[in-house]
Amino acid sequence: MNNENRKISEGTISRTFAYLRELSKLAKLNIRTISSSELGERLNLSDSQVRRDLRCFGNFGTSGSGYDIKELEKELKGILGKDKTWNVVVVGVGHLGSALLAYSTFKKIGLEIVAAVDKDIKKSGKEIKGVPVYSSQELPSIIKNKNISIGIIVVPVDNAQDVADELVKCGIKCIMNFAPLSLNVSNNVKVKNVDLCRELETLSYFLANK
Amino acid sequence: MNNENRKISEGTISRTFAYLRELSKLAKLNIRTISSSELGERLNLSDSQVRRDLRCFGNFGTSGSGYDIKELEKELKGILGKDKTWNVVVVGVGHLGSALLAYSTFKKIGLEIVAAVDKDIKKSGKEIKGVPVYSSQELPSIIKNKNISIGIIVVPVDNAQDVADELVKCGIKCIMNFAPLSLNVSNNVKVKNVDLCRELETLSYFLANK
DNA sequence: TAGATTGTTAATCGATTAACAATC
DNA sequence: TAGATTGTTAATCGATTAACAATC
């Protein structure tokens, strides 16, 4: 029914997670249906965009009345993989890495940080916020034994590419990278870059150019 | 000389910060010039894109030999506002907020976190990593007295819009928002959203749809 | 039936890439 | 001069928006 041939854009995917969040809120309020324009309004998006995004995943709407909230919520959960839990490893337990270990929201949304590793042997063997910290050498066995499918790189920029290579070698297909560089990985590996400095710098550009 | 009429895209601005970082590295190695294709290669970008981006800011290149690294570095620093320091306030001193206070890279790139505030009065009065923490009521005076121009919102999602409103009321024009929602602000205020959950969720979609 | 709202097509917009004359 | 590489134009691509017939 849904068109599996066309590639679904990252924008669409990202927004669809936002739709799902909103739908879950509405479902709790026992609201039955919502129109694309109402849903869009709540997220600062156009009605066209909402319909077009949702249409990528199936035929969920009803002319005249809109979308059934409970039904759409259920469908999207399945499609987006939110009916499962994914295990995550954090590589690098500096300030930012530790903060991620403590970030309980990840768990709530089905992404569980089950292990962390650090080069510094003084850090390994301990637990931080209930997450066990291991030495770097143990990375391959941890990924295998704990069934980990996502790696978060929070190491200094000079080590990031090596860590990425290691993760890929261990079979990781999804990487979230906080180091400020463009990682080279084979194109069956999905990388999401979060470059905090770059984001903040971009803001400062607007200040400098008022 | 440069075309100030056309709006420069966020993509261009963001990439130009990457060019500058790379140029600074090269300058330290005493390399004199670089071509758009070499620079692009280092950042996984096309030569066309590099030339087109740089062209937004001026006429820096020389046919046949490329760009003078030292000169371009100097020009871009000025244009991007990296010849100044910008003061930043962090609102919310939870795990993530504290990690940001400790994130020394910001200071290195000219973005100095000079204050933090938190609703929890138990946290105020202290210093975290050398950054003084104040109570929420003090926000307006801090922003004024410390000449702060950027606010980072790291509070729970339910308080984020209120904090944004408060920041805007205090004259803040640039906000980096870590809360998972779309902030409503007047359109002379620049907001940069960093939604860690959404980013990580997007990755999990790819796992679910292999 | 009349009103509302979908799914979808066509139009628009913006960003990226390719190509090449100009020029150092 | 010959080779390299720019700045720029034209072509392409993809995403967003507008519009509307279909339909509940």
Side-chain angles (χ1 to χ4, degrees):
Chain A
M1 189 180 285
N2 62 341
N3 194 335
E4 311 231 22
N5 308 344
R6 289 202 199 130
K7 214 195 149 210
I8 296 170
S9 80
E10 285 208 27
T12 294
I13 295 162
S14 173
R15 283 189 298 271
T16 304
F17 278 101
Y19 303 144
L20 178 53
R21 263 187 219 171
E22 207 60 34
L23 290 167
S24 298
K25 270 196 228 169
L26 294 164
K28 274 182 199 139
L29 302 172
N30 277 315
I31 301 167
R32 298 293 163 99
T33 62
I34 192 166
S35 67
S36 55
S37 60
E38 284 176 277
L39 186 52
E41 210 168 311
R42 287 168 163 270
L43 298 161
N44 293 331
L45 299 168
S46 72
D47 57 332
S48 294
Q49 183 146 68
V50 173
R51 290 200 298 281
R52 172 151 281 229
D53 283 339
L54 292 175
R55 191 57 193 81
C56 292
F57 302 106
N59 237 316
F60 305 120
T62 308
S63 298
S65 63
Y67 299 87
D68 182 295
I69 290 175
K70 282 247 165 67
E71 190 203 309
L72 184 54
E73 187 196 12
K74 197 181 144 232
E75 292 280 357
L76 291 183
K77 267 190 185 168
I79 290 161
L80 299 178
K82 306 250 336 174
D83 48 358
K84 304 181 192 67
T85 294
W86 302 97
N87 292 335
V88 180
V89 62
V90 168
V91 184
V93 190
H95 292 292
L96 191 55
S98 305
L100 294 177
L101 299 185
Y103 198 48
S104 53
T105 324
F106 286 148
K107 193 166 185 176
K108 277 186 212 145
I109 61 170
L111 295 157
E112 188 160 6
I113 299 175
V114 294
V117 306
D118 201 285
K119 242 178 148 176
D120 183 355
I121 48 166
K122 275 177 284 176
K123 287 179 182 166
S124 62
K126 292 179 192 168
E127 278 202 357
I128 298 182
K129 295 285 154 184
V131 178
V133 182
Y134 301 91
S135 77
S136 296
Q137 295 90 48
E138 296 175 81
L139 191 55
S141 62
I142 294 162
I143 288 174
K144 208 181 158 202
N145 298 334
K146 300 208 176 211
N147 191 27
I148 288 169
S149 43
I150 299 176
I152 302 183
I153 299 179
V154 213
V155 299
V157 60
D158 291 335
N159 306 328
Q161 182 63 55
D162 287 345
V163 170
D165 293 344
E166 177 82 1
L167 287 171
V168 171
K169 216 169 68 184
C170 296
I172 292 290
K173 293 276 182 292
C174 285
I175 294 174
M176 190 177 197
N177 171 41
F178 282 86
L181 85 166
S182 165
L183 293 175
N184 285 310
V185 295
S186 53
N187 57 9
N188 63 338
V189 176
K190 191 86 203 158
V191 176
K192 202 92 201 179
N193 290 300
V194 181
D195 188 336
L196 296 178
C197 286
R198 184 106 71 98
E199 305 275 359
L200 206 49
E201 278 176 330
T202 312
L203 279 181
S204 77
Y205 166 83
F206 287 95
L207 291 171
N209 292 273
K210 275 280 160 192
Chain B
M1 189 181 288
N2 62 340
N3 194 336
E4 311 231 23
N5 309 344
R6 289 203 199 130
K7 215 195 147 208
I8 296 170
S9 79
E10 285 209 28
T12 294
I13 294 162
S14 172
R15 285 188 298 271
T16 304
F17 279 100
Y19 302 145
L20 177 52
R21 263 187 218 171
E22 206 60 34
L23 290 167
S24 297
K25 270 196 227 168
L26 294 164
K28 273 183 198 138
L29 301 171
N30 277 315
I31 301 168
R32 298 293 163 99
T33 63
I34 191 166
S35 67
S36 55
S37 59
E38 284 176 276
L39 186 52
E41 211 168 311
R42 286 167 163 271
L43 297 162
N44 293 330
L45 299 168
S46 71
D47 57 332
S48 294
Q49 183 145 67
V50 172
R51 289 199 298 281
R52 172 150 282 227
D53 283 340
L54 292 175
R55 192 59 193 79
C56 292
F57 301 105
N59 237 315
F60 305 119
T62 308
S63 299
S65 63
Y67 299 86
D68 182 295
I69 290 174
K70 283 245 165 67
E71 191 202 309
L72 183 54
E73 187 196 11
K74 197 181 146 233
E75 293 280 358
L76 291 184
K77 268 189 185 168
I79 291 162
L80 299 177
K82 307 250 336 174
D83 48 358
K84 304 180 193 66
T85 293
W86 302 97
N87 292 335
V88 180
V89 62
V90 168
V91 183
V93 190
H95 291 292
L96 192 53
S98 305
L100 293 177
L101 299 185
Y103 198 48
S104 55
T105 324
F106 287 148
K107 192 166 184 176
K108 277 187 211 144
I109 61 171
L111 296 158
E112 188 159 6
I113 300 175
V114 294
V117 306
D118 200 286
K119 240 177 149 178
D120 182 357
I121 48 166
K122 275 177 283 175
K123 287 179 180 167
S124 62
K126 293 179 190 166
E127 278 203 357
I128 297 181
K129 295 284 155 184
V131 178
V133 182
Y134 301 91
S135 77
S136 296
Q137 296 90 49
E138 296 175 82
L139 192 56
S141 62
I142 295 163
I143 287 174
K144 207 180 158 205
N145 298 334
K146 300 208 176 210
N147 190 28
I148 289 170
S149 44
I150 299 176
I152 302 184
I153 299 179
V154 215
V155 300
V157 61
D158 292 335
N159 305 329
Q161 182 63 54
D162 287 346
V163 170
D165 293 343
E166 177 82 1
L167 287 171
V168 171
K169 216 169 67 184
C170 296
I172 292 290
K173 292 277 181 292
C174 285
I175 292 174
M176 190 177 197
N177 171 41
F178 282 86
L181 86 167
S182 166
L183 293 175
N184 286 309
V185 294
S186 53
N187 57 9
N188 62 337
V189 177
K190 192 87 203 158
V191 175
K192 202 92 200 179
N193 289 300
V194 181
D195 188 336
L196 296 178
C197 286
R198 183 106 71 98
E199 304 276 358
L200 206 49
E201 278 176 330
T202 312
L203 278 181
S204 77
Y205 166 82
F206 287 94
L207 292 170
N209 293 271
K210 275 281 160 191

